[in-house]
Coordinates of all heavy atoms in Angstrom, one line a residue:
M20 N 0.8 -1.2 0.0 CA 0.0 0.0 0.0 C 0.9 1.3 0.0 O 0.6 2.2 -0.7 CB -0.9 0.0 1.2 CG -1.9 1.1 1.3 SD -3.1 1.2 -0.1 CE -4.1 -0.1 0.3
A21 N 1.9 1.3 0.8 CA 2.8 2.5 0.9 C 3.4 2.8 -0.4 O 3.6 3.9 -0.8 CB 3.8 2.3 2.0
R22 N 3.8 1.7 -1.2 CA 4.4 1.9 -2.5 C 3.5 2.6 -3.4 O 3.9 3.4 -4.2 CB 4.8 0.6 -3.0 CG 5.6 0.7 -4.3 CD 6.3 -0.5 -4.8 NE 5.9 -1.7 -4.2 CZ 5.6 -2.9 -4.8 NH1 5.7 -2.9 -6.1 NH2 5.3 -4.0 -4.1
R23 N 2.2 2.3 -3.3 CA 1.2 2.9 -4.2 C 1.2 4.5 -4.0 O 1.1 5.2 -4.9 CB -0.2 2.4 -4.0 CG -1.2 2.8 -5.0 CD -2.5 2.2 -4.8 NE -2.4 0.7 -4.8 CZ -3.4 -0.1 -4.5 NH1 -4.5 0.4 -4.1 NH2 -3.2 -1.4 -4.5
F24 N 1.3 4.9 -2.7 CA 1.3 6.3 -2.4 C 2.6 7.0 -2.8 O 2.6 8.1 -3.3 CB 1.0 6.6 -0.9 CG -0.4 6.3 -0.5 CD1 -0.7 5.2 0.4 CD2 -1.4 7.0 -1.1 CE1 -2.0 5.0 0.7 CE2 -2.8 6.7 -0.7 CZ -3.0 5.7 0.2
L25 N 3.7 6.2 -2.7 CA 5.0 6.8 -3.2 C 4.9 6.9 -4.7 O 5.4 7.9 -5.2 CB 6.1 5.9 -2.7 CG 6.4 5.8 -1.2 CD1 7.5 4.8 -0.9 CD2 6.8 7.2 -0.7
N26 N 4.3 6.0 -5.4 CA 4.2 6.1 -6.8 C 3.3 7.3 -7.1 O 3.5 8.0 -8.1 CB 3.6 4.8 -7.4 CG 4.6 3.7 -7.5 OD1 5.8 3.9 -7.4 ND2 4.1 2.5 -7.6
F27 N 2.2 7.5 -6.3 CA 1.4 8.7 -6.5 C 2.2 10.0 -6.5 O 2.1 10.8 -7.4 CB 0.3 8.7 -5.4 CG -0.5 10.0 -5.3 CD1 -1.6 10.1 -6.1 CD2 -0.1 11.0 -4.4 CE1 -2.3 11.3 -6.0 CE2 -0.9 12.1 -4.4 CZ -2.0 12.3 -5.2
R28 N 3.1 10.1 -5.5 CA 3.9 11.3 -5.4 C 4.8 11.4 -6.6 O 5.0 12.5 -7.1 CB 4.7 11.2 -4.1 CG 5.5 12.5 -3.9 CD 6.2 12.4 -2.6 NE 7.2 13.5 -2.6 CZ 8.2 13.6 -1.7 NH1 8.4 12.6 -0.9 NH2 9.0 14.6 -1.8
R29 N 5.4 10.3 -7.0 CA 6.3 10.4 -8.1 C 5.6 10.7 -9.4 O 6.1 11.5 -10.3 CB 7.1 9.0 -8.2 CG 8.3 9.1 -9.2 CD 9.1 7.8 -9.2 NE 9.3 7.2 -7.9 CZ 8.9 6.0 -7.6 NH1 8.3 5.2 -8.5 NH2 9.1 5.5 -6.4
E30 N 4.5 10.1 -9.7 CA 3.7 10.2 -10.9 C 3.1 11.6 -11.0 O 3.1 12.2 -12.1 CB 2.7 9.1 -11.1 CG 3.2 7.8 -11.3 CD 2.2 6.7 -11.3 OE1 1.0 7.0 -11.5 OE2 2.5 5.5 -11.0
F31 N 2.5 12.0 -10.0 CA 1.7 13.3 -10.0 C 2.5 14.5 -9.6 O 2.1 15.6 -9.9 CB 0.4 13.1 -9.2 CG -0.5 12.2 -9.8 CD1 -0.6 10.9 -9.3 CD2 -1.3 12.5 -10.9 CE1 -1.5 10.0 -9.9 CE2 -2.2 11.6 -11.5 CZ -2.3 10.3 -11.0
G32 N 3.6 14.3 -8.8 CA 4.4 15.4 -8.4 C 3.8 16.1 -7.2 O 2.6 16.1 -6.9
V33 N 4.6 16.9 -6.6 CA 4.2 17.6 -5.4 C 3.2 18.6 -5.7 O 2.2 18.7 -5.0 CB 5.5 18.2 -4.7 CG1 5.0 19.2 -3.6 CG2 6.3 17.1 -4.1
P34 N 3.3 19.5 -6.7 CA 2.3 20.5 -7.0 C 0.9 19.9 -7.2 O -0.1 20.4 -6.6 CB 2.7 21.2 -8.3 CG 4.2 21.0 -8.3 CD 4.4 19.6 -7.7
R35 N 0.7 18.8 -7.9 CA -0.6 18.2 -8.1 C -1.1 17.6 -6.8 O -2.3 17.7 -6.4 CB -0.5 17.1 -9.2 CG -0.6 17.7 -10.5 CD -0.5 16.5 -11.5 NE -1.2 16.8 -12.7 CZ -1.1 15.9 -13.7 NH1 -0.4 14.8 -13.6 NH2 -1.7 16.2 -14.8
A36 N -0.2 16.9 -6.1 CA -0.6 16.3 -4.8 C -1.0 17.4 -3.8 O -2.0 17.2 -3.1 CB 0.5 15.4 -4.2
Y37 N -0.3 18.4 -3.8 CA -0.6 19.6 -2.9 C -1.9 20.1 -3.2 O -2.7 20.5 -2.4 CB 0.5 20.6 -2.9 CG 0.2 21.8 -2.1 CD1 0.4 21.7 -0.7 CD2 -0.3 23.0 -2.6 CE1 0.2 22.8 0.1 CE2 -0.6 24.1 -1.7 CZ -0.4 24.0 -0.4 OH -0.7 25.0 0.5
G38 N -2.2 20.2 -4.5 CA -3.5 20.8 -5.0 C -4.7 20.0 -4.5 O -5.8 20.6 -4.4
I39 N -4.6 18.7 -4.3 CA -5.8 18.0 -3.9 C -6.1 17.9 -2.4 O -7.1 17.5 -2.0 CB -5.8 16.5 -4.5 CG1 -4.7 15.7 -3.9 CG2 -5.7 16.5 -6.0 CD1 -4.8 14.2 -4.2
I40 N -5.1 18.4 -1.6 CA -5.3 18.4 -0.2 C -6.6 19.2 0.2 O -7.4 18.7 1.0 CB -4.1 19.0 0.6 CG1 -2.9 18.0 0.4 CG2 -4.4 19.2 2.0 CD1 -1.6 18.6 0.9
A41 N -6.8 20.3 -0.4 CA -8.0 21.1 -0.1 C -9.3 20.5 -0.4 O -10.4 20.8 0.2 CB -7.9 22.5 -0.8
T42 N -9.3 19.5 -1.3 CA -10.6 18.8 -1.6 C -10.7 17.5 -1.0 O -11.7 16.8 -1.3 CB -10.7 18.7 -3.2 OG1 -9.6 17.8 -3.6 CG2 -10.6 20.0 -3.9
T43 N -9.8 17.1 -0.1 CA -9.9 15.8 0.6 C -10.5 16.0 2.0 O -10.1 16.8 2.7 CB -8.4 15.2 0.7 OG1 -7.9 15.1 -0.6 CG2 -8.5 13.9 1.3
R44 N -11.4 15.1 2.3 CA -12.0 15.1 3.6 C -11.0 14.6 4.6 O -10.5 13.5 4.5 CB -13.2 14.3 3.6 CG -14.0 14.4 5.0 CD -15.3 13.7 4.9 NE -16.2 14.5 4.0 CZ -17.4 14.2 3.7 NH1 -17.9 13.0 4.1 NH2 -18.1 14.9 3.0
I45 N -10.6 15.4 5.6 CA -9.6 15.0 6.6 C -10.4 14.7 7.9 O -11.1 15.6 8.4 CB -8.6 16.1 6.8 CG1 -8.0 16.6 5.5 CG2 -7.6 15.8 7.8 CD1 -7.2 15.5 4.8
T46 N -10.1 13.6 8.5 CA -10.8 13.2 9.7 C -9.9 13.3 11.0 O -10.4 13.1 12.1 CB -11.3 11.7 9.6 OG1 -10.2 10.8 9.4 CG2 -12.4 11.6 8.5
D47 N -8.7 13.6 10.8 CA -7.7 13.7 11.9 C -7.5 15.2 12.2 O -7.1 16.0 11.4 CB -6.4 13.1 11.5 CG -5.3 13.2 12.6 OD1 -4.9 14.3 12.9 OD2 -4.9 12.2 13.1
D48 N -7.9 15.6 13.4 CA -7.8 17.1 13.8 C -6.4 17.7 13.7 O -6.3 18.8 13.3 CB -8.4 17.3 15.2 CG -9.9 17.1 15.3 OD1 -10.6 17.2 14.3 OD2 -10.3 16.8 16.4
R49 N -5.4 16.9 14.0 CA -4.0 17.4 14.0 C -3.7 17.7 12.5 O -3.1 18.7 12.2 CB -3.1 16.4 14.6 CG -1.7 16.9 14.7 CD -0.8 15.9 15.5 NE -0.7 14.6 14.9 CZ 0.2 14.3 14.0 NH1 1.1 15.1 13.5 NH2 0.2 13.1 13.4
M50 N -4.0 16.7 11.6 CA -3.7 16.9 10.2 C -4.5 18.1 9.6 O -4.0 18.8 8.8 CB -4.0 15.6 9.4 CG -3.0 14.5 9.7 SD -1.4 14.9 9.0 CE -0.4 15.1 10.4
L51 N -5.8 18.1 10.0 CA -6.7 19.2 9.6 C -6.1 20.6 9.9 O -6.0 21.5 9.1 CB -8.1 19.1 10.2 CG -9.1 20.1 9.7 CD1 -9.3 19.9 8.2 CD2 -10.4 19.8 10.4
K52 N -5.5 20.7 11.1 CA -4.9 22.0 11.5 C -3.7 22.3 10.7 O -3.5 23.4 10.2 CB -4.6 21.9 13.0 CG -4.0 23.2 13.5 CD -3.6 23.1 15.0 CE -3.0 24.4 15.5 NZ -2.6 24.3 16.9
L53 N -2.9 21.2 10.5 CA -1.6 21.4 9.7 C -2.0 21.9 8.3 O -1.4 22.8 7.7 CB -0.8 20.1 9.6 CG 0.4 20.2 8.8 CD1 1.6 20.2 9.7 CD2 0.5 19.0 7.9
F54 N -3.0 21.2 7.6 CA -3.3 21.6 6.3 C -4.0 23.0 6.2 O -3.8 23.7 5.3 CB -4.2 20.5 5.6 CG -3.6 19.2 5.6 CD1 -4.3 18.0 5.8 CD2 -2.2 19.0 5.3 CE1 -3.7 16.8 5.8 CE2 -1.6 17.8 5.2 CZ -2.4 16.6 5.5
A55 N -4.8 23.3 7.2 CA -5.4 24.6 7.3 C -4.4 25.7 7.4 O -4.5 26.8 6.8 CB -6.4 24.6 8.4
E56 N -3.4 25.5 8.2 CA -2.3 26.5 8.4 C -1.5 26.7 7.1 O -1.2 27.8 6.7 CB -1.4 26.0 9.5 CG -2.0 26.2 10.9 CD -1.1 25.6 12.0 OE1 -0.1 25.0 11.7 OE2 -1.5 25.7 13.2
A57 N -1.3 25.6 6.4 CA -0.6 25.7 5.1 C -1.4 26.5 4.1 O -0.9 27.3 3.4 CB -0.2 24.3 4.5
T58 N -2.7 26.2 4.0 CA -3.6 26.9 3.1 C -3.7 28.4 3.5 O -3.6 29.2 2.6 CB -5.0 26.3 3.2 OG1 -4.9 24.9 2.8 CG2 -5.9 26.9 2.2
D59 N -3.7 28.7 4.8 CA -3.8 30.0 5.3 C -2.5 30.8 4.9 O -2.6 31.9 4.4 CB -4.0 30.1 6.8 CG -4.1 31.5 7.3 OD1 -5.0 32.2 6.8 OD2 -3.4 31.9 8.2
R60 N -1.3 30.2 5.1 CA -0.1 30.8 4.7 C 0.0 31.0 3.2 O 0.4 32.1 2.8 CB 1.1 29.9 5.1 CG 1.6 30.2 6.5 CD 2.8 29.3 6.8 NE 2.3 28.0 7.0 CZ 2.9 26.9 6.8 NH1 4.1 26.8 6.4 NH2 2.3 25.7 7.0
E61 N -0.5 30.1 2.4 CA -0.5 30.2 1.0 C -1.4 31.4 0.6 O -1.0 32.2 -0.3 CB -1.0 29.0 0.3 CG -0.9 29.1 -1.2 CD -1.4 27.8 -1.9 OE1 -2.3 27.1 -1.3 OE2 -0.9 27.5 -3.0
M62 N -2.5 31.6 1.2 CA -3.4 32.7 0.9 C -2.8 34.0 1.3 O -2.9 35.0 0.5 CB -4.8 32.5 1.6 CG -5.6 31.3 1.0 SD -7.1 31.1 1.8 CE -8.0 32.5 1.3
R63 N -2.1 34.1 2.4 CA -1.5 35.3 2.8 C -0.3 35.7 2.0 O -0.1 36.9 1.6 CB -1.1 35.2 4.3 CG -2.2 35.4 5.3 CD -1.7 35.5 6.7 NE -1.3 34.2 7.2 CZ -0.1 33.8 7.5 NH1 0.9 34.7 7.5 NH2 0.3 32.6 7.9
L64 N 0.5 34.7 1.6 CA 1.8 35.0 0.9 C 1.7 34.9 -0.6 O 2.5 35.3 -1.3 CB 2.8 34.0 1.4 CG 3.2 34.0 2.9 CD1 4.1 32.9 3.2 CD2 3.7 35.3 3.3
G65 N 0.6 34.3 -1.1 CA 0.4 34.1 -2.5 C 0.9 32.8 -3.0 O 0.5 32.3 -4.0
D66 N 1.8 32.2 -2.3 CA 2.4 30.9 -2.6 C 3.2 30.4 -1.4 O 3.5 31.1 -0.5 CB 3.3 31.0 -3.9 CG 3.5 29.6 -4.5 OD1 2.9 28.6 -4.1 OD2 4.3 29.6 -5.5
L67 N 3.5 29.1 -1.4 CA 4.4 28.5 -0.4 C 5.7 28.1 -1.1 O 5.8 27.9 -2.3 CB 3.8 27.2 0.2 CG 2.5 27.4 1.0 CD1 2.1 26.0 1.5 CD2 2.8 28.2 2.2
S68 N 6.7 28.0 -0.3 CA 8.0 27.6 -0.8 C 7.9 26.1 -1.2 O 7.0 25.4 -0.8 CB 9.1 27.7 0.3 OG 8.9 26.8 1.3
A69 N 8.8 25.7 -2.1 CA 8.8 24.3 -2.5 C 9.0 23.4 -1.3 O 8.3 22.3 -1.2 CB 9.9 24.1 -3.5
R70 N 9.8 23.8 -0.4 CA 10.0 23.0 0.8 C 8.8 22.8 1.6 O 8.4 21.7 2.1 CB 11.1 23.6 1.7 CG 11.4 22.8 2.9 CD 12.5 23.4 3.7 NE 12.7 22.5 4.9 CZ 13.5 22.8 5.9 NH1 14.2 23.9 5.8 NH2 13.6 22.0 6.9
A71 N 8.0 23.9 1.8 CA 6.8 23.9 2.6 C 5.8 23.0 1.9 O 5.0 22.2 2.6 CB 6.2 25.3 2.8
K72 N 5.7 23.0 0.6 CA 4.8 22.2 -0.1 C 5.2 20.7 0.0 O 4.3 19.8 0.2 CB 4.7 22.6 -1.6 CG 3.9 23.8 -1.9 CD 3.8 24.1 -3.3 CE 3.1 25.4 -3.5 NZ 2.9 25.8 -5.0
V73 N 6.5 20.4 -0.1 CA 6.9 19.0 0.0 C 6.6 18.5 1.4 O 6.1 17.4 1.6 CB 8.4 18.9 -0.3 CG1 9.0 17.6 0.2 CG2 8.7 19.1 -1.7
Q74 N 6.8 19.3 2.5 CA 6.5 18.9 3.8 C 5.0 18.6 4.0 O 4.6 17.7 4.6 CB 7.0 19.9 4.8 CG 8.5 20.0 4.9 CD 9.0 21.1 5.8 OE1 8.3 22.2 5.9 NE2 10.2 21.0 6.4
T75 N 4.2 19.5 3.4 CA 2.8 19.3 3.5 C 2.3 18.1 2.8 O 1.5 17.3 3.3 CB 2.1 20.6 3.0 OG1 2.5 21.7 3.7 CG2 0.6 20.5 3.2
V76 N 2.9 17.8 1.6 CA 2.5 16.6 0.8 C 3.0 15.4 1.6 O 2.3 14.3 1.6 CB 3.1 16.7 -0.6 CG1 3.0 15.4 -1.3 CG2 2.3 17.8 -1.4
E77 N 4.2 15.4 2.2 CA 4.6 14.2 2.9 C 3.7 13.9 4.1 O 3.4 12.8 4.3 CB 6.1 14.5 3.4 CG 7.1 14.3 2.2 CD 8.5 14.7 2.6 OE1 8.7 15.3 3.7 OE2 9.4 14.4 1.8
A78 N 3.2 15.0 4.8 CA 2.3 14.8 5.9 C 1.0 14.2 5.3 O 0.3 13.3 5.9 CB 2.0 16.1 6.6
F79 N 0.5 14.7 4.1 CA -0.7 14.2 3.5 C -0.6 12.7 3.1 O -1.5 11.9 3.4 CB -1.0 15.1 2.3 CG -2.2 14.7 1.5 CD1 -3.4 14.7 2.1 CD2 -2.2 14.5 0.1 CE1 -4.6 14.5 1.4 CE2 -3.3 14.2 -0.6 CZ -4.5 14.2 0.1
I80 N 0.6 12.3 2.5 CA 0.8 10.9 2.2 C 0.8 10.1 3.4 O 0.2 9.0 3.4 CB 2.1 10.8 1.3 CG1 1.9 11.4 0.0 CG2 2.5 9.3 1.2 CD1 3.1 11.6 -0.9
S81 N 1.4 10.6 4.5 CA 1.4 9.8 5.7 C 0.0 9.6 6.3 O -0.4 8.6 6.7 CB 2.3 10.6 6.8 OG 2.2 9.9 8.0
Y82 N -0.8 10.7 6.2 CA -2.2 10.6 6.6 C -3.0 9.6 5.8 O -3.7 8.8 6.3 CB -2.8 12.0 6.5 CG -4.3 12.0 6.6 CD1 -4.9 11.8 7.9 CD2 -5.2 12.1 5.5 CE1 -6.3 11.8 8.0 CE2 -6.5 12.0 5.6 CZ -7.1 11.9 6.9 OH -8.5 11.8 7.0
L83 N -2.8 9.7 4.5 CA -3.5 8.7 3.6 C -3.1 7.3 3.9 O -3.9 6.4 3.8 CB -3.2 9.1 2.1 CG -3.9 10.4 1.6 CD1 -3.4 10.6 0.2 CD2 -5.4 10.4 1.7
T84 N -1.8 7.1 4.1 CA -1.3 5.7 4.4 C -1.9 5.2 5.7 O -2.4 4.1 5.8 CB 0.2 5.7 4.6 OG1 0.8 6.2 3.3 CG2 0.8 4.4 4.8
K85 N -2.0 6.0 6.7 CA -2.6 5.6 8.0 C -4.1 5.3 7.8 O -4.6 4.4 8.4 CB -2.4 6.7 9.1 CG -1.0 6.8 9.6 CD -0.8 8.0 10.5 CE 0.6 8.1 10.9 NZ 0.9 9.3 11.7
Q86 N -4.8 6.2 7.0 CA -6.2 5.9 6.7 C -6.4 4.6 6.0 O -7.3 3.9 6.3 CB -6.8 7.1 5.9 CG -7.0 8.3 6.7 CD -8.0 8.2 7.8 OE1 -7.7 8.0 8.9 NE2 -9.3 8.2 7.4
A87 N -5.5 4.3 5.0 CA -5.6 3.1 4.3 C -5.5 1.9 5.2 O -6.2 0.9 5.1 CB -4.6 3.1 3.1
R88 N -4.5 2.0 6.1 CA -4.3 0.9 7.0 C -5.5 0.7 8.0 O -5.9 -0.4 8.2 CB -3.0 1.1 7.9 CG -1.8 0.9 7.1 CD -0.5 1.2 8.0 NE 0.7 1.1 7.2 CZ 1.7 1.8 7.3 NH1 1.7 2.7 8.3 NH2 2.8 1.7 6.5
A89 N -6.0 1.8 8.4 CA -7.2 1.7 9.3 C -8.4 1.1 8.6 O -9.2 0.3 9.1 CB -7.6 3.1 9.8
I90 N -8.6 1.5 7.3 CA -9.7 0.9 6.5 C -9.5 -0.6 6.4 O -10.4 -1.3 6.5 CB -9.8 1.7 5.1 CG1 -10.3 3.1 5.3 CG2 -10.7 0.9 4.2 CD1 -10.2 3.9 4.1
A91 N -8.2 -1.0 6.1 CA -7.9 -2.4 5.9 C -8.3 -3.2 7.2 O -8.6 -4.3 7.1 CB -6.5 -2.6 5.5
K92 N -8.1 -2.5 8.3 CA -8.3 -3.2 9.6 C -9.8 -3.0 10.1 O -10.1 -3.4 11.1 CB -7.3 -2.7 10.6 CG -5.9 -3.2 10.3 CD -5.0 -2.7 11.4 CE -3.5 -3.1 11.0 NZ -2.6 -2.7 12.0
G93 N -10.6 -2.2 9.3 CA -11.9 -2.0 9.7 C -12.1 -0.9 10.8 O -13.1 -0.9 11.5
R94 N -11.1 -0.1 11.0 CA -11.1 0.9 12.1 C -11.2 2.3 11.6 O -11.1 3.2 12.4 CB -9.8 0.7 12.9 CG -9.8 -0.5 13.7 CD -8.6 -0.5 14.7 NE -7.5 -0.9 13.9 CZ -6.2 -0.6 14.2 NH1 -6.0 0.2 15.2 NH2 -5.2 -1.0 13.5
A95 N -11.4 2.6 10.4 CA -11.4 4.0 9.9 C -12.7 4.6 10.2 O -13.7 4.0 10.2 CB -11.1 4.0 8.4
V96 N -12.6 5.9 10.4 CA -13.8 6.7 10.6 C -14.1 7.3 9.2 O -13.4 8.1 8.7 CB -13.5 7.9 11.6 CG1 -14.7 8.8 11.6 CG2 -13.1 7.4 12.9
L97 N -15.2 6.8 8.6 CA -15.6 7.2 7.3 C -16.8 8.2 7.4 O -17.7 7.8 8.0 CB -15.9 6.0 6.4 CG -14.8 5.1 6.1 CD1 -15.3 3.9 5.3 CD2 -13.6 5.7 5.4
L98 N -16.6 9.3 6.8 CA -17.7 10.3 6.9 C -18.5 10.2 5.6 O -17.9 10.1 4.5 CB -17.2 11.7 7.1 CG -16.3 11.9 8.3 CD1 -15.7 13.3 8.3 CD2 -17.1 11.7 9.6
T99 N -19.8 10.4 5.7 CA -20.6 10.3 4.4 C -21.2 11.7 4.2 O -21.2 12.6 5.0 CB -21.7 9.3 4.6 OG1 -22.5 9.6 5.7 CG2 -21.1 7.9 4.7

């Protein structure tokens, strides 16, 4: 499963991966705060540095990996 997400990052690149964070439903409050702060900084500054985007995408991939594992074990919180 983790390899699939790593392929996602390689195939779509950080800018595309970063772009879908805002449209993804986030169920973890800590991750939600992190992504909201990144979005807020981007709105204030007009853009984020490449490093900030990479860090945000890495956190996003980590979040997705944890969610996938939780779903596989039947423990995920799925919102409808």
Side-chain angles (χ1 to χ4, degrees):
M20 184 63 71
R22 186 171 8 138
R23 189 176 306 170
F24 289 117
L25 292 175
N26 287 340
F27 169 84
R28 181 174 169 201
R29 192 176 319 121
E30 289 174 22
F31 293 101
V33 170
R35 280 178 149 172
Y37 179 78
I39 67 168
I40 292 173
T42 62
T43 303
R44 186 173 288 176
I45 307 295
T46 59
D47 179 294
D48 289 339
R49 188 174 60 89
M50 288 289 110
L51 184 61
K52 182 179 178 183
L53 179 104
F54 300 142
E56 288 172 356
T58 302
D59 184 54
R60 270 182 287 153
E61 183 180 31
M62 289 178 69
R63 280 187 287 116
L64 301 174
D66 199 4
L67 290 179
S68 68
R70 180 179 180 186
K72 285 183 181 179
V73 167
Q74 290 173 333
T75 304
V76 167
E77 286 174 346
F79 182 56
I80 291 170
S81 175
Y82 168 77
L83 291 177
T84 302
K85 288 176 186 173
Q86 286 295 99
R88 287 182 185 142
I90 289 169
K92 293 180 180 180
R94 291 187 278 153
V96 176
L97 299 176
L98 303 174
T99 56

